[in-house]
Amino acid sequence: MLGALVVSLYSMPWLGLLVVPMCPIYLNLQSKYRHASRDIKRLSSNALSPIYTHFTETLQGLSTIRAMRAANRFRVDFLLKLEGSIRAQLTSAAAQQWLGLRLQMLGSLLIGGAGLLAAITSAHSTNPSLVGLAISYALSITGLLGGVLNALSETEQEMVAIERVNQYSCLEKERNASGSMDAPFGWPCQGVVAFSDVTMRYRYYYI
């Protein structure tokens, strides 16, 4: 991107009148999108964890769920968790479209300004080929701007996973984390199993 800007400014120095005001605008867009995309990634990660947990619990306790006739409740819970995850993904897609629209507007402004400056300064231009070179490089700047910003935002989004691992590693250990637990006061020292109104019969086999 810097190479394309240098070539464009070398070929058409008047293009600096457009590039200089566009720099703070681009930096402002970059800052807003990076902060928003990082927070959306956190929401998406937090929404995915309950889905995995719920799915694992459902598979492990499938026989119990069927025995207790709780399949409908588990289905509703899963759909609610899935809806939260889809909301975060749609928000991420909306943020990308928001950024793409504004980058396209900046690119169109740069290309249109380059063409206008070329038409205005055509009488003073000594080498028309340099003007064409500047416009051709200005066409590629839009994609380069988006590529640089996406690379930065993707790097920060991937660091969210490391941030979550760091948060989990800094949590305080729970009481009796080793698995042992002290019996409460007054806990009986022996137990008795009593059967009341129990009937039993042998299974009949028909041959």
Side-chain angles (χ1 to χ4, degrees):
M1 185 183 68
L2 292 177
L5 286 175
V6 170
V7 171
S8 299
L9 292 176
Y10 174 76
S11 303
M12 186 184 297
W14 291 101
L15 199 61
L17 297 176
L18 293 175
V19 173
V20 173
M22 287 175 59
C23 287
I25 298 176
Y26 174 73
L27 293 176
N28 187 22
L29 290 176
Q30 179 183 10
S31 176
K32 289 182 178 180
Y33 176 75
R34 286 169 56 193
H35 287 81
S37 63
R38 190 168 60 244
D39 293 337
I40 293 173
K41 182 64 176 180
R42 290 194 184 98
L43 293 176
S44 179
S45 300
N46 292 331
L48 279 176
S49 297
I51 294 179
Y52 296 147
T53 304
H54 188 274
F55 186 73
T56 304
E57 292 176 351
T58 304
L59 289 181
Q60 293 178 353
L62 191 59
S63 58
T64 306
I65 294 173
R66 290 175 177 175
M68 300 300 295
R69 297 180 180 179
N72 190 26
R73 178 171 62 85
F74 271 74
R75 186 183 298 109
V76 172
D77 291 343
F78 180 77
L79 290 178
L80 291 176
K81 291 178 173 60
L82 183 62
E83 182 180 357
S85 177
I86 293 176
R87 284 181 179 178
Q89 295 178 7
L90 289 177
T91 306
S92 177
Q96 293 177 0
Q97 294 297 325
W98 177 87
L99 175 67
L101 176 62
R102 280 151 181 79
L103 289 180
Q104 290 292 334
M105 292 176 62
L106 288 179
S108 300
L109 180 62
L110 181 61
I111 295 170
L116 183 62
L117 288 175
I120 293 175
T121 61
S122 60
H124 307 284
S125 178
T126 57
N127 193 350
S129 60
L130 293 177
V131 176
L133 180 65
I135 294 177
S136 64
Y137 269 89
L139 290 172
S140 63
I141 288 179
T142 303
L144 294 173
L145 289 175
V148 171
L149 183 51
N150 287 328
L152 292 175
S153 60
E154 285 291 335
T155 304
E156 292 186 355
Q157 289 177 14
E158 294 301 327
M159 294 297 291
V160 172
I162 302 176
E163 181 185 50
R164 296 188 68 198
V165 172
N166 186 28
Q167 290 177 354
Y168 285 132
S169 62
C170 294
L171 290 177
E172 296 182 359
K173 292 184 178 181
E174 298 181 357
R175 296 181 58 185
N176 300 319
S178 59
S180 61
M181 181 177 292
D182 298 332
F185 179 77
W187 186 261
C189 59
Q190 61 181 0
V192 177
V193 179
F195 291 91
S196 177
D197 297 332
V198 178
T199 59
M200 184 181 66
R201 67 177 181 177
Y202 291 101
R203 181 180 297 178
Y204 293 100
Y205 292 95
Y206 296 96
I207 301 176

